């Protein structure tokens, strides 16, 4: 058993974690209930796009330090550390859906029932404060017949990695938070992570509930910065002569503010920020506190898509029979993830009003799963730029920065095109044929 680890849930956090541990010399059992996913990984295919991860998965499988399986029992029985990385998606009512984590907790309890050695459960899935003790721990105790803090250890270790830079973030985390309620769990987890990362890593040790809160607060703060700069961008839209990027640069040069997460855009999406903010709001209300600030951050984010729709109706008039090309459906660049992508929300609003054509370098297959035949898909950028009345840049893919006015004019036989650039990537000059509107850049439009 030694330092063996089981990682349950091989999504983006779990697979990156399992692979990283395995390549650092830990025997890892990677578990997922999705058979197709397990088969894909066994064949060295990462079931989602994450730069460089496929290389490290291959290395971990070849060395046989990573074994992937469907069933958690063998792994859990033979591991000292059990990491829970299953999804905690948003339910209809904005609450967090704890179905998977509850099931996994019961299964872990059943699996450790007869294990004589001390094992430590490490929760990495993002959960509302209180969930590790009140749900996960209690389920494990119930099905294992064991006592937490005595027969097994438990901790909450939040994950801060971002999609698109998961490998880098995992290798060099800006911080590690260890939430435990007893010394034995803390020492076990700390020793394990020290073995992986070595000394000198910035570690914050706290209680389980504080660690759970840190994860929510971290994501809420990132969302705050984005909604704040989007608010400034919206103000710029009404103030001729202003440019949100210049404002952001000036703000960011103040070390008390910091220059990251100040890029205005169509609003934040992805599998974490929207879900976690929503879960946090519900959680605050349940404690009896009305989180006015958090609700405003969420409201600003939801409004960004309306602002894009307003630009379209103001500039195009009716959308009927208009051809609109949307560049980018992934929620950000370097991923094929479209979960909570603002672009997907925009397509939903537009598809019954206009002819919608979409392009994305990585996320088109995922987009097709949602919209089927109801919209058109351009696998080449040239196609997406052709025969359109309007072009909306939604995702900040590097290749979109290279788009020229000449390309648009040539591909549209000099027909007038409205270009709405939500990420300010192309910075076009004003011409007779192209109307360029960049969110938050008000140097020559909105006069
Ligand atoms: C986020 C957190 O950053 C990460 O720490 C946590 O572990 C998981 O959630 P991720 O979902 O990968 O990571 O995306 P992130 O890079 O945070 O971007 C989220 C959204 O905000 C994207 O839609 C992105 O385009 C948008 N964003 C980000 C902006 O609009 N402006 C910015 O300046 C930064």
């Amino acid at each position: 058993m030694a330092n063996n680890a089981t990682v349950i849930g091989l999504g983006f956090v779990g697979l990156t974690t399992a692979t990283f541990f395995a390549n650092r010399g830990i025997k890892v059992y990677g578990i997922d209930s999705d058979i197709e996913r397990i088969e894909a990984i066994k064949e060295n295919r990462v079931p989602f796009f994450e730069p460089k991860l496929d290389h490290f998965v291959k290395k971990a499988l070849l060395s046989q330090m990573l074994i992937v399986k469907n069933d958690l029992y063998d792994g859990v029985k033979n591991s000292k550390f059990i990491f829970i990385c299953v999804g905690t998606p948003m339910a209809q009512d904005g609450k967090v859906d704890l179905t998977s984590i509850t099931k996994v907790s019961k299964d872990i309890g059943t699996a450790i029932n007869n294990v004589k050695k001390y094992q430590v459960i490490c929760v990495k899935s993002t959960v509302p404060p209180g969930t590790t003790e009140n749900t996960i721990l209690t389920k494990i105790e119930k099905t294992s017949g064991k006592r937490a803090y005595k027969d097994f250890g438990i901790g909450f270790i939040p994950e801060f990695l971002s999609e698109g830079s998961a490998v880098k973030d995992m290798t060099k985390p800006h911080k590690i938070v260890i939430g435990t309620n007893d010394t034995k769990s803390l020492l076990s987890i700390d020793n394990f992570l020290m073995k992986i990362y070595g000394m000198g890593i910035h570690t914050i040790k706290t209680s389980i509930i504080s660690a759970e809160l840190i994860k929510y607060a971290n994501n809420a703060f990132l969302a705050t910065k984005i909604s704040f700069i989007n608010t400034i961008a919206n103000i710029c839209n009404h103030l001729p002569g202003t440019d949100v990027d210049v404002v952001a640069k000036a703000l960011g040069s103040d070390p008390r503010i910091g220059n990251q997460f100040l890029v205005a855009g169509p609003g934040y999406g992805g599998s974490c920020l929207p879900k976690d903010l929503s879960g946090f709001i519900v959680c605050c209300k349940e404690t009896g506190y009305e989180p006015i600030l958090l609700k405003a951050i969420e409201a600003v984010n939801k409004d960004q898509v309306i602002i894009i729709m307003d630009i379209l109706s103001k500039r195009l008039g009716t959308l009927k029979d208009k051809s609109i090309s949307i560049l980018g459906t992934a929620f950000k660049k370097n991923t094929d993830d479209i979960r909570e992508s603002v672009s997907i929300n925009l397509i939903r609003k537009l598809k019954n009003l206009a002819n919608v054509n979409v392009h994305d370098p990585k996320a088109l297959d995922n987009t097709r799963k949602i919209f089927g035949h109801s919209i058109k898909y351009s696998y080449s950028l040239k196609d997406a730029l052709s025969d359109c009345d309007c072009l909306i840049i939604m995702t900040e893919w590097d290749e979109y920065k290279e788009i020229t006015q000449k390309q648009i004019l040539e591909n549209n036989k000099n027909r007038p095109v409205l270009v709405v650039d939500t990420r300010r990537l192309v910075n076009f000059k004003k011409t007779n044929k192209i109307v360029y509107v960049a969110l938050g850049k008000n140097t020559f439009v909105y006069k």
Side-chain angles (χ1 to χ4, degrees):
M1 181 176 284
N3 269 334
N4 290 358
T6 288
V7 176
I8 305 170
L10 297 182
F12 148 79
V13 169
L15 186 57
T16 312
T17 306
T19 304
F20 178 63
F21 287 173
N23 287 330
R24 288 285 162 111
I26 306 288
K27 179 96 181 172
V28 181
Y29 299 88
I31 314 295
D32 200 289
S33 57
D34 181 340
I35 296 175
E36 275 179 35
R37 177 165 291 231
I38 290 296
E39 291 311 315
I41 298 170
K42 275 185 185 161
E43 291 164 15
N44 290 324
R45 281 187 290 116
V46 174
F48 45 86
F49 175 71
E50 180 58 41
K52 299 190 184 134
L53 187 56
D54 49 353
H55 165 77
F56 290 104
V57 168
K58 193 173 177 182
K59 191 173 161 203
L61 290 169
L62 266 177
S63 66
Q64 294 184 347
M65 294 307 279
L66 174 63
I67 295 163
V68 289
K69 283 181 157 220
N70 239 179
D71 172 6
L72 62 74
Y73 288 89
D74 281 347
V76 169
K77 276 178 190 296
N78 291 304
S79 295
K80 170 145 187 201
F81 296 94
I82 297 142
F83 287 82
I84 303 181
C85 300
V86 294
T88 47
M90 184 161 39
Q92 289 287 336
D93 53 5
K95 282 187 174 178
V96 181
D97 179 351
L98 296 174
T99 315
S100 298
I101 211 160
T102 306
K103 181 181 182 311
V104 161
S105 306
K106 287 180 187 164
D107 291 347
I108 291 172
T110 312
I112 67 170
N113 176 283
N114 289 321
V115 179
K116 297 277 174 287
K117 291 201 171 136
Y118 176 80
Q119 296 171 288
V120 188
I121 319 297
C122 306
V123 184
K124 261 183 176 284
S125 308
T126 302
V127 289
T131 307
T132 301
E133 273 219 291
N134 300 333
T135 305
I136 302 171
L137 180 154
T138 52
K139 297 286 177 233
I140 297 173
E141 281 190 333
K142 201 165 174 198
T143 49
S144 67
K146 293 184 171 185
R147 304 296 304 158
Y149 311 125
K150 182 174 155 280
D151 306 320
F152 68 90
I154 188 159
F156 182 80
I157 310 166
E159 185 50 68
F160 300 101
L161 52 82
S162 293
E163 294 188 31
S165 59
V167 172
K168 185 175 120 271
D169 296 345
M170 178 64 70
T171 316
K172 284 197 168 69
H174 45 76
K175 60 177 172 280
I176 289 181
V177 175
I178 307 176
T180 48
N181 289 353
D182 68 306
T183 315
K184 196 170 175 189
S185 302
L186 172 62
L187 289 178
S188 307
I189 296 172
D190 197 27
N191 283 340
F192 177 80
L193 293 176
M194 200 87 85
K195 185 171 152 57
I196 304 240
Y197 286 105
M199 308 285 271
I201 194 95
H202 175 43
T203 309
I204 296 145
K205 293 164 184 146
T206 182
S207 64
I208 290 178
I209 196 160
S210 292
E212 291 169 326
L213 179 61
I214 287 169
K215 173 67 198 218
Y216 263 174
N218 207 92
N219 275 353
F221 196 76
L222 296 176
T224 307
K225 287 188 95 173
I226 299 168
S227 278
F228 177 83
I229 204 64
N230 285 342
T231 298
I232 302 297
N234 298 340
I235 295 169
C236 288
N237 287 345
H238 293 277
L239 277 182
T242 55
D243 181 340
V244 68
D245 290 329
V246 177
V247 179
K249 198 168 174 197
L251 293 179
S253 64
D254 184 332
R256 292 169 302 175
I257 296 175
N259 60 11
Q260 292 188 46
F261 275 70
L262 284 180
V263 183
Y268 59 78
S271 64
C272 295
L273 298 195
K275 158 184 89 88
D276 290 351
L277 198 70
S278 164
F280 199 10
I281 290 170
V282 174
C283 166
C284 289
K285 286 181 180 167
E286 283 173 357
T287 67
Y289 174 71
E290 199 59 34
I292 304 165
L293 176 63
L294 302 184
K295 281 161 61 183
I297 295 159
E298 192 175 58
V300 168
N301 199 56
K302 286 186 173 155
D303 264 9
Q304 284 307 95
V305 72
I306 310 289
I307 286 171
I308 300 169
M309 290 294 285
D310 284 349
I311 294 172
L312 299 186
S313 41
K314 188 172 163 198
R315 299 278 168 177
L316 294 173
T318 174
L319 300 183
K320 193 168 180 301
D321 297 328
K322 296 280 186 332
S323 294
I324 300 180
S325 281
I326 294 180
L327 300 188
T329 57
F331 80 98
K332 65 175 187 181
K333 73 173 179 177
N334 293 336
T335 177
D336 61 359
D337 197 342
I338 56 169
R339 283 176 290 176
E340 297 296 319
S341 167
V342 182
S343 180
I344 297 296
N345 193 5
L346 179 68
I347 297 167
R348 279 205 179 96
K349 291 191 186 306
L350 285 176
K351 75 183 174 64
N352 295 327
L353 301 174
N355 303 316
V356 175
N357 178 21
V358 298
H359 175 271
D360 191 286
K362 295 283 175 202
L364 274 197
D365 291 345
N366 284 338
T367 310
R368 195 187 281 277
K369 284 181 199 156
I370 295 187
F371 296 109
H373 296 300
S374 64
I375 57 171
K376 274 174 47 188
Y377 304 88
S378 287
Y379 282 83
S380 85
L381 185 54
K382 186 172 183 297
D383 282 351
L385 298 181
S386 304
D387 303 321
C388 58
D389 302 292
C390 173
L391 199 67
I392 312 175
I393 304 176
M394 290 296 288
T395 311
E396 75 281 27
W397 285 104
D398 288 341
E399 63 186 277
Y400 297 158
K401 290 184 190 155
E402 310 298 321
I403 298 170
T404 62
Q405 282 170 282
K406 195 166 162 249
Q407 257 177 313
I408 294 177
L409 291 171
E410 276 172 11
N411 288 311
N412 287 287
K413 303 183 188 76
N414 283 333
R415 139 199 199 179
V417 179
L418 168 68
V419 178
V420 181
D421 186 354
T422 69
R423 307 267 188 173
R424 297 164 311 288
L425 298 188
V426 293
N427 213 358
F428 287 167
K429 300 275 175 299
K430 191 179 183 181
T431 73
N432 291 338
K433 296 290 179 191
I434 293 179
V435 176
Y436 178 65
V437 180
L439 271 193
K441 206 183 228 2
N442 197 354
T443 33
F444 50 80
V445 290
Y446 285 102
K447 292 229 176 268

